[in-house]
Amino acid sequence: MECSPLSFGHLLSSLLSNTYSLSCQLMTTVKIWTREKDSLLMLFTYFAGGTFALYSLLCRHAKLSILPNQQATDEKLSTYATEASADTWQSSALKSFFEKHPRFHKMLLIFVLLGTCMAIGDGVLTPTISVLSAVSGVKVKITGLHENYVVIISCVILVGLFSLQHHGTNRVAFLFAPIVTAWLLCISSIGIYNIFRWNRHVFCAISPVYMLKFLKNTGTEGWVSLGGVVLSITGVETMFADLGHFSSSSIKVAFTCVVYPCLILAYMGEAAFLSKHHEDIQRSFYKAIPESVFWPVFIVATFAAVVGSQAVISATFSMISQCCALNCFPRVKIVHTSSKIYGQIYIPEVNWMLMCLCLAVTIGLRDTNMMGHAYGLAVTTVMFVTTCLMALVMIIVWKKKIIIAVAFLLFFGSIEVLYISASVYKVPEGGWIPLVLSLIFMVVMYIWNYGTMKKHQFDVENKVSMNRIVSLGPSLGMVRVPGIGLVYSNLAIGVPAVFGHFVTNLPAFHQVLVFVCVKSVQVPHVSENERLLISRVGPKEYGMFRCIVRYGYKDLQQENYDFENRLVSGIVQFVETEEESASKLTSESFGEFENTAFKVFVASEHPYTNSRHMEKVVLSSCDIQAEVAKTGSERLENTQLKHESLQILKAKESGVAYILGHSHAKAKKSSSIIKKIAIDVVYNFLSKNSREPDVVLNVPHTSLLEVGMIYYV
């Protein structure tokens, strides 16, 4: 049989588009991981937070200031390292453009949020369409089965899937690779069987000539059909969902030698079957399966759908976690489900929210075709956003010529825009679902980011003057009681307003005062030895310190060790090494205190480390309290600790109190109605129903003091 473009029509175009699109994804993936494996550790290709990983990378190089409290010392982190190559005139021009036009920062953030929200929407659609499509295969054998039973079975599987999420994937993850491997082998074997049985000339579909002839002969109808053709590449993203845990070599070998050939053979076999059975297009996959292996393949298909759904759900948890770390999502509870494998997390609120949305879509639509239209729009939008961000990365980060980035954007972007335009045509037929979901998520994320940034701006504008602190004297104008007081604030510089508000109402404070700032840095991880950054605030006799606790956007902002002892160890180390670094005033400390009548010693380059010196000063950071109780002050004096170090350890024995600000935002009277609704209604609702800072920071309730404040935005 001759291979005619009109005889296979849509089928061959589908096959070719799938081949071409998968090739594009594969080349882009290999390029990303070969070039920026360390910098893009969190880039699970197009999904699982790739947009935010790329955006964070751009922020590090172009100073887009996604986070409000970044410092020059953050750039000295080992994972923050940027390329040493000099800027080209193209990269310099682009950076200058962003610096001169701050409004484009906001536009870029909205663009990134669009891609992220579409990816979260994919986390709703993937489990729904995967499970429902797999279960609907039963109707091929049981023709009398009512559609309601298919929906009920799908809902039961979805409820079971989401109910097991809190156990984590580590207990059953060993089954994932065999299931996916069995699935790929099944579809490739069935594809080969159908090719040799129904049409051996289907290989001609690989030629781009047939796609061009198909589009030329069908015109508008062929363009509209691309909204369905794009479904041939949707679902592949579930295989990308865990790429961040593997090396670039394993990714290239797996996709080049296993995944890609198996998918091509599967689609070729399905096209060969449909070339002889045009009437079976709605159930072509299951009807193309030989009778003798139908039920085993059906079981494997169902398990593969569950595995794919599990991957996307886990990726959604990862994205939400990143968004929380980057101040773009309300605080939620994040549970680390594995003590051995880093990155396996569970978010209860997001889990049940996804389950309800999946059930609503399954029961409400019941049609995989409508779900497919929504699915295609979500996937292609995320791909396009990622392509645009990749073009910026090529110029700003990789220092490539602008002509190369433009060629990359035009080549890949034109294909994706073509698919998006065809998917937009299907908006009335189900494509509105990801648009509505993404719009809701975007409103929530943008308002939360806006309110958080305004809160930080308020804190900066209302921080307590150091001149006022100095004028109060070493006692700060109040009673200094034994113990250590930890004042949590978002400020990395200056004395927070919550401290002044506290001492105004209760003029007594602890002997040792530590301003703690827990912040995220625009890197995936911060190593343990670089976590704490200790410095002194004010003269030595004031007994005030600052501790900046830094996390990457992949790190969980909860301490699994005794934070109090760890902090005290860091302060003791700082005191012991202060004289050595006395002559090393940083520009930050000089700028903050240059008008005061004293010198401030800041060891901003000496974060807590388990050095030999530290082992001599404090035998173990986790056993300070036990050591003090066991040996007493005489043993401590024998270790040649300074007098101030001894006072700090004694203050630790007296107890540690945590002081947190409980802020309430309120829009100004002159604000517009939209801003009042956004701040007074939406933001405050999110603040009241999100996790409190003390829960996120794992603060003991018995030692917690909250200070209420109102700030106007």
Side-chain angles (χ1 to χ4, degrees), residues 378-593:
V379 171
T380 52
T381 302
V382 179
M383 291 172 63
F384 179 71
V385 172
T386 306
T387 299
C388 294
L389 294 177
M390 278 296 301
L392 292 176
V393 168
M394 293 175 71
I395 299 174
I396 296 176
V397 182
W398 297 348
K399 309 297 190 299
K400 296 296 182 180
K401 295 181 179 179
I402 193 170
I403 187 66
I404 299 177
V406 171
F408 171 86
L409 180 61
L410 291 177
F411 183 72
F412 289 99
S414 59
I415 299 171
E416 292 156 358
V417 168
L418 185 63
Y419 280 123
I420 291 175
S421 63
S423 299
V424 169
Y425 186 82
K426 301 289 186 179
V427 166
E429 301 177 19
W432 57 270
I433 297 175
L435 294 178
V436 173
L437 290 176
S438 62
L439 179 62
I440 295 174
F441 283 118
M442 280 186 66
V443 169
V444 170
M445 295 170 73
Y446 185 79
I447 291 178
W448 182 262
N449 178 263
Y450 178 81
T452 303
M453 296 293 282
K454 287 297 183 180
K455 180 181 182 300
H456 179 79
Q457 182 180 346
F458 176 85
D459 291 339
V460 172
E461 294 174 351
N462 292 273
K463 62 182 180 182
V464 181
S465 171
M466 278 303 303
N467 291 327
R468 179 185 174 188
I469 294 292
V470 173
S471 64
L472 297 176
S475 66
L476 301 181
M478 54 187 175
V479 179
R480 302 295 291 270
V481 299
I484 298 178
L486 304 182
V487 181
Y488 280 81
S489 169
N490 292 323
L491 291 180
I493 298 175
V495 178
V498 64
F499 174 71
H501 191 66
F502 178 86
V503 297
T504 300
N505 292 275
L506 184 64
F509 214 85
H510 299 83
Q511 178 185 3
V512 178
L513 177 62
V514 184
F515 299 107
V516 181
C517 173
V518 181
K519 72 174 187 177
S520 295
V521 188
Q522 293 159 164
V523 294
H525 294 291
V526 175
S527 59
E528 288 295 331
N529 64 327
E530 297 177 310
R531 180 83 70 204
L532 302 183
L533 197 63
I534 309 294
S535 61
R536 186 186 292 279
V537 178
K540 184 176 181 180
E541 59 270 19
Y542 281 48
M544 298 192 301
F545 302 89
R546 184 186 314 283
C547 175
I548 300 176
V549 189
R550 300 178 292 187
Y551 291 92
Y553 55 79
K554 279 191 65 178
D555 294 324
L556 297 184
Q557 295 191 8
Q558 291 178 346
E559 301 294 344
N560 295 323
Y561 48 79
D562 192 341
F563 178 70
E564 295 178 3
N565 288 330
R566 180 97 174 192
L567 176 62
V568 172
S569 297
I571 296 175
V572 170
Q573 182 193 17
F574 167 77
V575 170
E576 291 294 300
T577 59
E578 187 177 25
E579 293 182 357
E580 300 175 4
S581 59
S583 61
K584 298 180 181 179
L585 286 175
T586 63
S587 59
E588 173 187 307
S589 62
F590 181 79
E592 183 178 355
F593 307 124

Side-chain angles (χ1 to χ4, degrees), residues 17 55 75 84 103 202 226 296 364 422 425 455 595 634 647:
S17 299
Y55 183 51
E75 299 181 11
R103 64 178 181 274
V202 74
L226 291 178
Y425 186 82
K455 180 181 182 300
N595 294 325
E634 294 181 359
Q647 287 183 334

Side-chain angles (χ1 to χ4, degrees), residues 59 152 188 193 195 288 394 396 405 468 474 523 529 622 682 689 704:
C59 289
I152 292 174
S188 59
Y193 167 81
I195 290 171
M394 293 175 71
I396 296 176
R468 179 185 174 188
V523 294
N529 64 327
C622 297
V682 180
N689 291 276
L704 175 64

